[in-house]
Amino acid sequence: MSQPLVLASASPQRRAILARLGVAFDVRPTGVAELADGDPETVALENALRKARAAADPERDELVLAVDTLVELDGRIYGKPPDRDAARETLRELSGATHTVISGLVLLDASGERTALARTSVSFRELAPSTIDWYLATDEWRERAGGYAIQGAGAALVSEISGDYENVVGLPLAALLDLYPSLLLPSPDPDS
């Protein structure tokens, strides 16, 4: 990697995935308004573009990474539930169904914008009301697209996954590495 990487996100999951790979990065979350309605792929990509553009500093030679992840079922977007009742309703609707986790991914630097979309299919078990109550009590649903965290207790809700697991966690690694193959190369030592 020749440019500093800036992650335009406050997501602890995205930070953890990059750190686990040994990638050096700075965090620069944005407070941009996000779309919530429309074609799910268009919404995910547009939200990621908005985040990347808001985080970019035109005075610096840096690479900005922005991601927006949402859950889609039958054309309906499930973002982050605003409260416990909304989370309960989301989990009821996802119960026994296969939904798609869609992430829009943007890399932005002085040379322009590179974009990608990632899709992962996730099937939920039939969830009894008591299971939904148990999960809601974990509070994991907060700040999670679709109201669950597959890397935590939310794994108990899932019966099957097809695609990039890390996409469901919040950072589609396969799409990122296709878009930016040199991500895993060591940065040149500025002192040599």
Side-chain angles (χ1 to χ4, degrees):
M1 239 175 19
S2 58
Q3 298 168 294
L5 180 67
V6 173
L7 177 62
S9 174
S11 163
Q13 294 75 33
R14 292 183 183 127
R15 290 194 314 260
I17 292 168
L18 288 173
R20 194 170 66 236
L21 295 173
V23 174
F25 62 96
D26 292 321
V27 175
R28 195 179 300 153
T30 64
V32 298
E34 295 183 20
L35 297 177
D37 296 308
D39 171 71
E41 291 182 353
T42 302
V43 167
L45 198 52
E46 177 61 28
N47 286 340
L49 283 164
R50 289 178 180 197
K51 293 174 189 179
R53 291 170 183 161
D57 182 343
E59 302 299 315
R60 296 185 181 171
D61 179 27
E62 59 190 11
L63 182 63
V64 177
L65 167 61
V67 181
D68 187 65
T69 301
L70 55 85
V71 166
E72 178 270 331
L73 177 64
D74 298 330
R76 180 174 172 194
I77 294 173
Y78 293 85
K80 300 170 184 171
D83 56 39
R84 185 177 295 260
D85 289 339
R88 180 185 313 282
E89 186 59 28
T90 296
L91 294 174
R92 275 192 204 131
E93 291 179 17
L94 297 179
S95 174
T98 298
H99 61 270
T100 305
V101 176
I102 299 171
S103 289
L105 185 130
V106 174
L107 287 171
L108 181 149
D109 64 10
S111 68
E113 299 168 343
R114 292 174 275 165
T115 64
L117 281 164
R119 297 165 203 81
T120 304
S121 294
V122 179
S123 298
F124 266 22
R125 298 172 37 249
E126 288 286 347
L127 304 178
S130 59
T131 302
I132 292 174
D133 289 341
W134 164 81
Y135 187 68
L136 293 173
T138 71
D139 277 344
E140 267 188 4
W141 58 270
R142 295 180 189 278
E143 293 300 309
R144 312 287 184 168
Y148 73 98
I150 196 169
Q151 72 278 15
L157 310 177
V158 175
S159 63
E160 189 175 336
I161 178 173
S162 177
D164 183 351
Y165 169 83
E166 298 291 2
N167 181 38
V168 184
V169 176
L171 181 61
L173 274 184
L176 176 57
L177 293 172
D178 286 347
L179 206 58
Y180 189 30
S182 60
L183 176 70
L184 301 180
L185 298 178
S187 297
D189 185 351
D191 298 328
S192 56

